Amino acid sequence: MEGVHCRIQGISPDLPCRGGTVSEELNPEAAEAEEPIKQRKNGLYPGVSDELAENMKSGWADTELHDLRPIAQADETAARRAALSARFPGERIVVPAGNLKTRSNDTEYAFRASVEYAYLTGNQTEDGVLVMEPVADGHRATLYLLPRSDRENGEFWLSGDGELWVGRRHSLTEAEKLYGIPASDVRELADALREATGPVRVVRGYDAGIEAALTDKVTAERDEELRVFLSEARLVKDAFEIGELQKAVDSTVRGFEDVVKVLDKAEATSERYIEGTFFLRARVEGNDIGYGSICAAGPHACTLHWVRNDGPVRSGDLLLLDAGVETHTYYTADVTRTLPINGSFSEIQRKIYDAVYEAQEAGIAAVKPGAAYRDFHDAAQRVLAEKLVEWGLVEGPVERVLELGLQRRWTLHGTGHMLGMDVHDCAAARTETYVNGTLEPGMVLTVEPGLYFQADDLTVPEEYRGIGVRIEDDILVTDDGNKNLSDGLPRRSGEVEAWMAGLKG
């Protein structure tokens, strides 16, 4: 044990016992190798009596779980590790989950394991590390994890990481059954890595301690090649991933329905009511939201990443809701609908909305195997440019507008991106395999054109100002075209109005 400490305020034993450390009291022979307990300035208990320490060692039932089955994606994670092994033969590969990050003082942000680690293992616990050791026929994988808390030395109730504070962990034996990978104590890993020989690659940015242990064994170039490979490996989703993305989308559809039902309460409060309503669905049916929900009412819809969500919700304005549920396996939806808060589009709102819908239709139609990735973006942008010229907001012809990018004053962003365990998935992939690449069956991407007329844009008629519209769906590339995973939500303006009326009614 690396020094007993506690992060929980108020009731923990957080001062030295009898002039030493708590671990000296409970495990004297290990005292020299351990750090002193972290002291809390205003803790209520000065120490642990010998009697209490002895009492806490015994009287606990055996809670080992013996009937565990492998996780649902065990076969898929094994195949992913096999592909990684084939790509880097003879090299040690180290993929950390990451550590807890401090939010303030002694509280942490909710932990989310690195995508690379979760993709290869299915495990999601902090401090975990996947190590793939090169062997004659490939690699031998080991999952390094924190074991169950030690009840003999008091760690389980004295340490802030102890199970009575943060909950039960799986034993290493249980982990082996769940993930299909031999498991070892992660606290021994750094020392072992310092002694490692031969080429090593590590996924950087998640675990400073692991990186420090490898500092003289890795190179930035090799590590970047590893990161790029793991990003590109996720471009084409397997059957498990597609199923998880559909689950995420289905929950997201229900979350949007929840929001429509409480728009009157949002009008009485703020955009925060919308944010909280969707978050409830995400937490009940999934792990979390996949990204900060954009609950943008009125002119806030013109701010692409409006996540403050503290503005008013007014009848007669539009609500741009961009949100996605993340499943328990980290796959996220990413869906946007622009809704009339009072249930009916005004004439100018409908005109702009229908233009965006037409652009999205063109973009979705361009999603098919063998098409260039950029085709859906180009198709949607052409429609929007045509509308802007038609409305007299920019001088044509359309080819000139597109060549000079003049439509971007009001379209602003690209028309979509890859989707998966990250909302902007596969971000480290090479340009030639991503935006300059070709669509393949199994790829999942968003198609999300928009028009945004800023409230202070004096180049457009006043009636346009403050209106922002985006429509976004999650599209799976199939063998013969595409499938809209989020077609459970209506997109045509009239259908949106009818859907909202039905939910409110």
Side-chain angles (χ1 to χ4, degrees), residues 99-122:
N99 315 124
L100 290 171
K101 291 181 172 60
T102 299
R103 180 178 184 271
S104 179
N105 189 27
D106 56 356
T107 59
E108 286 82 30
Y109 289 104
F111 180 74
R112 188 183 190 275
S114 74
V115 164
E116 295 87 350
Y117 175 85
Y119 178 75
L120 293 168
T121 68

PDB file of all heavy atoms in Angstrom, residues 99-122:
ATOM      1  N   ASN A  99      -6.050   8.241 -15.027  1.00  0.00           N
ATOM      2  CA  ASN A  99      -6.219   8.409 -13.582  1.00  0.00           C
ATOM      3  C   ASN A  99      -7.340   9.408 -13.296  1.00  0.00           C
ATOM      4  O   ASN A  99      -7.782  10.128 -14.178  1.00  0.00           O
ATOM      5  CB  ASN A  99      -4.920   8.935 -12.951  1.00  0.00           C
ATOM      6  CG  ASN A  99      -3.688   8.218 -13.455  1.00  0.00           C
ATOM      7  OD1 ASN A  99      -2.768   8.858 -13.962  1.00  0.00           O
ATOM      8  ND2 ASN A  99      -3.664   6.903 -13.335  1.00  0.00           N
ATOM      9  N   LEU A 100      -7.763   9.419 -12.056  1.00  0.00           N
ATOM     10  CA  LEU A 100      -8.741  10.419 -11.641  1.00  0.00           C
ATOM     11  C   LEU A 100      -8.149  11.824 -11.784  1.00  0.00           C
ATOM     12  O   LEU A 100      -6.956  12.023 -11.567  1.00  0.00           O
ATOM     13  CB  LEU A 100      -9.157  10.184 -10.188  1.00  0.00           C
ATOM     14  CG  LEU A 100     -10.012   8.946  -9.912  1.00  0.00           C
ATOM     15  CD1 LEU A 100     -10.146   8.736  -8.415  1.00  0.00           C
ATOM     16  CD2 LEU A 100     -11.384   9.066 -10.546  1.00  0.00           C
ATOM     17  N   LYS A 101      -8.987  12.780 -12.131  1.00  0.00           N
ATOM     18  CA  LYS A 101      -8.553  14.169 -12.263  1.00  0.00           C
ATOM     19  C   LYS A 101      -9.275  15.023 -11.227  1.00  0.00           C
ATOM     20  O   LYS A 101     -10.495  14.914 -11.049  1.00  0.00           O
ATOM     21  CB  LYS A 101      -8.839  14.694 -13.676  1.00  0.00           C
ATOM     22  CG  LYS A 101      -7.979  14.048 -14.758  1.00  0.00           C
ATOM     23  CD  LYS A 101      -8.287  14.623 -16.123  1.00  0.00           C
ATOM     24  CE  LYS A 101      -7.285  14.121 -17.171  1.00  0.00           C
ATOM     25  NZ  LYS A 101      -7.290  12.663 -17.309  1.00  0.00           N
ATOM     26  N   THR A 102      -8.502  15.867 -10.566  1.00  0.00           N
ATOM     27  CA  THR A 102      -9.065  16.699  -9.511  1.00  0.00           C
ATOM     28  C   THR A 102      -9.969  17.776 -10.085  1.00  0.00           C
ATOM     29  O   THR A 102      -9.610  18.497 -11.014  1.00  0.00           O
ATOM     30  CB  THR A 102      -7.947  17.358  -8.696  1.00  0.00           C
ATOM     31  OG1 THR A 102      -7.144  16.344  -8.090  1.00  0.00           O
ATOM     32  CG2 THR A 102      -8.514  18.263  -7.610  1.00  0.00           C
ATOM     33  N   ARG A 103     -11.154  17.875  -9.522  1.00  0.00           N
ATOM     34  CA  ARG A 103     -12.078  18.956  -9.881  1.00  0.00           C
ATOM     35  C   ARG A 103     -11.819  20.189  -9.030  1.00  0.00           C
ATOM     36  O   ARG A 103     -11.716  21.300  -9.524  1.00  0.00           O
ATOM     37  CB  ARG A 103     -13.521  18.486  -9.702  1.00  0.00           C
ATOM     38  CG  ARG A 103     -14.573  19.539 -10.055  1.00  0.00           C
ATOM     39  CD  ARG A 103     -15.978  18.956  -9.887  1.00  0.00           C
ATOM     40  NE  ARG A 103     -16.998  19.912 -10.297  1.00  0.00           N
ATOM     41  CZ  ARG A 103     -17.550  20.813  -9.499  1.00  0.00           C
ATOM     42  NH1 ARG A 103     -17.170  20.865  -8.215  1.00  0.00           N
ATOM     43  NH2 ARG A 103     -18.466  21.650  -9.942  1.00  0.00           N
ATOM     44  N   SER A 104     -11.698  19.959  -7.731  1.00  0.00           N
ATOM     45  CA  SER A 104     -11.366  21.042  -6.804  1.00  0.00           C
ATOM     46  C   SER A 104     -10.994  20.419  -5.471  1.00  0.00           C
ATOM     47  O   SER A 104     -11.682  19.502  -4.995  1.00  0.00           O
ATOM     48  CB  SER A 104     -12.570  21.983  -6.629  1.00  0.00           C
ATOM     49  OG  SER A 104     -12.264  23.018  -5.716  1.00  0.00           O
ATOM     50  N   ASN A 105      -9.896  20.901  -4.882  1.00  0.00           N
ATOM     51  CA  ASN A 105      -9.454  20.436  -3.577  1.00  0.00           C
ATOM     52  C   ASN A 105      -9.349  18.918  -3.562  1.00  0.00           C
ATOM     53  O   ASN A 105      -8.450  18.339  -4.167  1.00  0.00           O
ATOM     54  CB  ASN A 105     -10.392  20.953  -2.480  1.00  0.00           C
ATOM     55  CG  ASN A 105      -9.868  20.678  -1.085  1.00  0.00           C
ATOM     56  OD1 ASN A 105      -8.659  20.572  -0.874  1.00  0.00           O
ATOM     57  ND2 ASN A 105     -10.755  20.550  -0.118  1.00  0.00           N
ATOM     58  N   ASP A 106     -10.276  18.212  -2.896  1.00  0.00           N
ATOM     59  CA  ASP A 106     -10.179  16.762  -2.782  1.00  0.00           C
ATOM     60  C   ASP A 106     -11.366  16.052  -3.432  1.00  0.00           C
ATOM     61  O   ASP A 106     -11.722  14.946  -3.058  1.00  0.00           O
ATOM     62  CB  ASP A 106     -10.060  16.347  -1.311  1.00  0.00           C
ATOM     63  CG  ASP A 106     -11.214  16.862  -0.468  1.00  0.00           C
ATOM     64  OD1 ASP A 106     -12.068  17.603  -1.002  1.00  0.00           O
ATOM     65  OD2 ASP A 106     -11.265  16.533   0.732  1.00  0.00           O
ATOM     66  N   THR A 107     -11.972  16.691  -4.431  1.00  0.00           N
ATOM     67  CA  THR A 107     -13.029  16.027  -5.193  1.00  0.00           C
ATOM     68  C   THR A 107     -12.565  15.861  -6.639  1.00  0.00           C
ATOM     69  O   THR A 107     -11.822  16.695  -7.160  1.00  0.00           O
ATOM     70  CB  THR A 107     -14.343  16.822  -5.167  1.00  0.00           C
ATOM     71  OG1 THR A 107     -14.125  18.130  -5.705  1.00  0.00           O
ATOM     72  CG2 THR A 107     -14.867  16.947  -3.748  1.00  0.00           C
ATOM     73  N   GLU A 108     -13.018  14.780  -7.258  1.00  0.00           N
ATOM     74  CA  GLU A 108     -12.573  14.462  -8.607  1.00  0.00           C
ATOM     75  C   GLU A 108     -13.724  14.497  -9.596  1.00  0.00           C
ATOM     76  O   GLU A 108     -14.886  14.361  -9.231  1.00  0.00           O
ATOM     77  CB  GLU A 108     -11.938  13.052  -8.647  1.00  0.00           C
ATOM     78  CG  GLU A 108     -10.571  12.957  -8.032  1.00  0.00           C
ATOM     79  CD  GLU A 108     -10.609  12.820  -6.538  1.00  0.00           C
ATOM     80  OE1 GLU A 108     -11.590  12.258  -6.024  1.00  0.00           O
ATOM     81  OE2 GLU A 108      -9.670  13.296  -5.869  1.00  0.00           O
ATOM     82  N   TYR A 109     -13.362  14.686 -10.860  1.00  0.00           N
ATOM     83  CA  TYR A 109     -14.327  14.510 -11.927  1.00  0.00           C
ATOM     84  C   TYR A 109     -14.696  13.030 -12.035  1.00  0.00           C
ATOM     85  O   TYR A 109     -13.894  12.150 -11.698  1.00  0.00           O
ATOM     86  CB  TYR A 109     -13.747  14.965 -13.267  1.00  0.00           C
ATOM     87  CG  TYR A 109     -13.574  16.457 -13.392  1.00  0.00           C
ATOM     88  CD1 TYR A 109     -12.316  17.042 -13.275  1.00  0.00           C
ATOM     89  CD2 TYR A 109     -14.660  17.284 -13.637  1.00  0.00           C
ATOM     90  CE1 TYR A 109     -12.146  18.409 -13.394  1.00  0.00           C
ATOM     91  CE2 TYR A 109     -14.505  18.655 -13.765  1.00  0.00           C
ATOM     92  CZ  TYR A 109     -13.244  19.223 -13.640  1.00  0.00           C
ATOM     93  OH  TYR A 109     -13.089  20.573 -13.753  1.00  0.00           O
ATOM     94  N   ALA A 110     -15.906  12.764 -12.515  1.00  0.00           N
ATOM     95  CA  ALA A 110     -16.271  11.374 -12.804  1.00  0.00           C
ATOM     96  C   ALA A 110     -15.265  10.798 -13.796  1.00  0.00           C
ATOM     97  O   ALA A 110     -14.894  11.454 -14.769  1.00  0.00           O
ATOM     98  CB  ALA A 110     -17.685  11.322 -13.369  1.00  0.00           C
ATOM     99  N   PHE A 111     -14.843   9.579 -13.548  1.00  0.00           N
ATOM    100  CA  PHE A 111     -13.800   8.987 -14.379  1.00  0.00           C
ATOM    101  C   PHE A 111     -14.380   8.400 -15.656  1.00  0.00           C
ATOM    102  O   PHE A 111     -15.444   7.770 -15.650  1.00  0.00           O
ATOM    103  CB  PHE A 111     -13.064   7.884 -13.612  1.00  0.00           C
ATOM    104  CG  PHE A 111     -11.982   7.232 -14.413  1.00  0.00           C
ATOM    105  CD1 PHE A 111     -10.787   7.900 -14.650  1.00  0.00           C
ATOM    106  CD2 PHE A 111     -12.163   5.971 -14.958  1.00  0.00           C
ATOM    107  CE1 PHE A 111      -9.780   7.307 -15.415  1.00  0.00           C
ATOM    108  CE2 PHE A 111     -11.170   5.375 -15.716  1.00  0.00           C
ATOM    109  CZ  PHE A 111      -9.972   6.054 -15.939  1.00  0.00           C
ATOM    110  N   ARG A 112     -13.660   8.610 -16.749  1.00  0.00           N
ATOM    111  CA  ARG A 112     -13.966   7.945 -18.020  1.00  0.00           C
ATOM    112  C   ARG A 112     -12.652   7.438 -18.583  1.00  0.00           C
ATOM    113  O   ARG A 112     -11.734   8.211 -18.825  1.00  0.00           O
ATOM    114  CB  ARG A 112     -14.631   8.893 -19.006  1.00  0.00           C
ATOM    115  CG  ARG A 112     -15.153   8.189 -20.273  1.00  0.00           C
ATOM    116  CD  ARG A 112     -15.739   9.215 -21.237  1.00  0.00           C
ATOM    117  NE  ARG A 112     -16.462   8.625 -22.347  1.00  0.00           N
ATOM    118  CZ  ARG A 112     -15.924   8.190 -23.485  1.00  0.00           C
ATOM    119  NH1 ARG A 112     -14.603   8.274 -23.644  1.00  0.00           N
ATOM    120  NH2 ARG A 112     -16.660   7.688 -24.452  1.00  0.00           N
ATOM    121  N   ALA A 113     -12.560   6.127 -18.769  1.00  0.00           N
ATOM    122  CA  ALA A 113     -11.321   5.530 -19.252  1.00  0.00           C
ATOM    123  C   ALA A 113     -11.001   6.019 -20.658  1.00  0.00           C
ATOM    124  O   ALA A 113     -11.892   6.406 -21.427  1.00  0.00           O
ATOM    125  CB  ALA A 113     -11.440   4.004 -19.251  1.00  0.00           C
ATOM    126  N   SER A 114      -9.732   6.005 -21.000  1.00  0.00           N
ATOM    127  CA  SER A 114      -9.331   6.402 -22.346  1.00  0.00           C
ATOM    128  C   SER A 114     -10.023   5.510 -23.367  1.00  0.00           C
ATOM    129  O   SER A 114     -10.264   4.324 -23.138  1.00  0.00           O
ATOM    130  CB  SER A 114      -7.813   6.298 -22.502  1.00  0.00           C
ATOM    131  OG  SER A 114      -7.386   4.950 -22.608  1.00  0.00           O
ATOM    132  N   VAL A 115     -10.369   6.096 -24.508  1.00  0.00           N
ATOM    133  CA  VAL A 115     -11.058   5.357 -25.555  1.00  0.00           C
ATOM    134  C   VAL A 115     -10.201   4.186 -26.024  1.00  0.00           C
ATOM    135  O   VAL A 115     -10.706   3.069 -26.244  1.00  0.00           O
ATOM    136  CB  VAL A 115     -11.405   6.298 -26.723  1.00  0.00           C
ATOM    137  CG1 VAL A 115     -11.754   5.509 -27.972  1.00  0.00           C
ATOM    138  CG2 VAL A 115     -12.557   7.195 -26.338  1.00  0.00           C
ATOM    139  N   GLU A 116      -8.900   4.406 -26.171  1.00  0.00           N
ATOM    140  CA  GLU A 116      -8.025   3.350 -26.660  1.00  0.00           C
ATOM    141  C   GLU A 116      -8.044   2.133 -25.729  1.00  0.00           C
ATOM    142  O   GLU A 116      -8.117   0.986 -26.182  1.00  0.00           O
ATOM    143  CB  GLU A 116      -6.596   3.876 -26.811  1.00  0.00           C
ATOM    144  CG  GLU A 116      -6.436   4.957 -27.857  1.00  0.00           C
ATOM    145  CD  GLU A 116      -6.690   6.358 -27.328  1.00  0.00           C
ATOM    146  OE1 GLU A 116      -7.185   6.496 -26.186  1.00  0.00           O
ATOM    147  OE2 GLU A 116      -6.409   7.325 -28.050  1.00  0.00           O
ATOM    148  N   TYR A 117      -7.993   2.394 -24.433  1.00  0.00           N
ATOM    149  CA  TYR A 117      -7.985   1.325 -23.435  1.00  0.00           C
ATOM    150  C   TYR A 117      -9.328   0.592 -23.419  1.00  0.00           C
ATOM    151  O   TYR A 117      -9.383  -0.642 -23.448  1.00  0.00           O
ATOM    152  CB  TYR A 117      -7.686   1.934 -22.067  1.00  0.00           C
ATOM    153  CG  TYR A 117      -7.752   0.982 -20.906  1.00  0.00           C
ATOM    154  CD1 TYR A 117      -6.660   0.204 -20.554  1.00  0.00           C
ATOM    155  CD2 TYR A 117      -8.911   0.888 -20.130  1.00  0.00           C
ATOM    156  CE1 TYR A 117      -6.716  -0.661 -19.469  1.00  0.00           C
ATOM    157  CE2 TYR A 117      -8.977   0.031 -19.047  1.00  0.00           C
ATOM    158  CZ  TYR A 117      -7.881  -0.747 -18.711  1.00  0.00           C
ATOM    159  OH  TYR A 117      -7.947  -1.600 -17.639  1.00  0.00           O
ATOM    160  N   ALA A 118     -10.424   1.345 -23.373  1.00  0.00           N
ATOM    161  CA  ALA A 118     -11.746   0.726 -23.334  1.00  0.00           C
ATOM    162  C   ALA A 118     -12.029  -0.057 -24.616  1.00  0.00           C
ATOM    163  O   ALA A 118     -12.655  -1.124 -24.586  1.00  0.00           O
ATOM    164  CB  ALA A 118     -12.819   1.792 -23.117  1.00  0.00           C
ATOM    165  N   TYR A 119     -11.569   0.450 -25.746  1.00  0.00           N
ATOM    166  CA  TYR A 119     -11.772  -0.212 -27.033  1.00  0.00           C
ATOM    167  C   TYR A 119     -11.080  -1.579 -27.077  1.00  0.00           C
ATOM    168  O   TYR A 119     -11.616  -2.542 -27.625  1.00  0.00           O
ATOM    169  CB  TYR A 119     -11.226   0.692 -28.133  1.00  0.00           C
ATOM    170  CG  TYR A 119     -11.298   0.140 -29.537  1.00  0.00           C
ATOM    171  CD1 TYR A 119     -12.501   0.086 -30.228  1.00  0.00           C
ATOM    172  CD2 TYR A 119     -10.147  -0.300 -30.186  1.00  0.00           C
ATOM    173  CE1 TYR A 119     -12.557  -0.404 -31.526  1.00  0.00           C
ATOM    174  CE2 TYR A 119     -10.190  -0.784 -31.490  1.00  0.00           C
ATOM    175  CZ  TYR A 119     -11.401  -0.837 -32.160  1.00  0.00           C
ATOM    176  OH  TYR A 119     -11.454  -1.323 -33.441  1.00  0.00           O
ATOM    177  N   LEU A 120      -9.908  -1.659 -26.457  1.00  0.00           N
ATOM    178  CA  LEU A 120      -9.110  -2.887 -26.514  1.00  0.00           C
ATOM    179  C   LEU A 120      -9.426  -3.876 -25.409  1.00  0.00           C
ATOM    180  O   LEU A 120      -9.081  -5.060 -25.517  1.00  0.00           O
ATOM    181  CB  LEU A 120      -7.620  -2.540 -26.454  1.00  0.00           C
ATOM    182  CG  LEU A 120      -7.056  -1.791 -27.660  1.00  0.00           C
ATOM    183  CD1 LEU A 120      -5.671  -1.253 -27.355  1.00  0.00           C
ATOM    184  CD2 LEU A 120      -7.033  -2.689 -28.904  1.00  0.00           C
ATOM    185  N   THR A 121     -10.072  -3.420 -24.334  1.00  0.00           N
ATOM    186  CA  THR A 121     -10.287  -4.288 -23.172  1.00  0.00           C
ATOM    187  C   THR A 121     -11.740  -4.420 -22.741  1.00  0.00           C
ATOM    188  O   THR A 121     -12.133  -5.453 -22.203  1.00  0.00           O
ATOM    189  CB  THR A 121      -9.482  -3.784 -21.955  1.00  0.00           C
ATOM    190  OG1 THR A 121     -10.039  -2.533 -21.505  1.00  0.00           O
ATOM    191  CG2 THR A 121      -8.012  -3.600 -22.294  1.00  0.00           C
ATOM    192  N   GLY A 122     -12.532  -3.374 -22.895  1.00  0.00           N
ATOM    193  CA  GLY A 122     -13.870  -3.342 -22.328  1.00  0.00           C
ATOM    194  C   GLY A 122     -13.885  -2.914 -20.884  1.00  0.00           C
ATOM    195  O   GLY A 122     -14.952  -2.672 -20.310  1.00  0.00           O
TER     196      GLY A 122
END
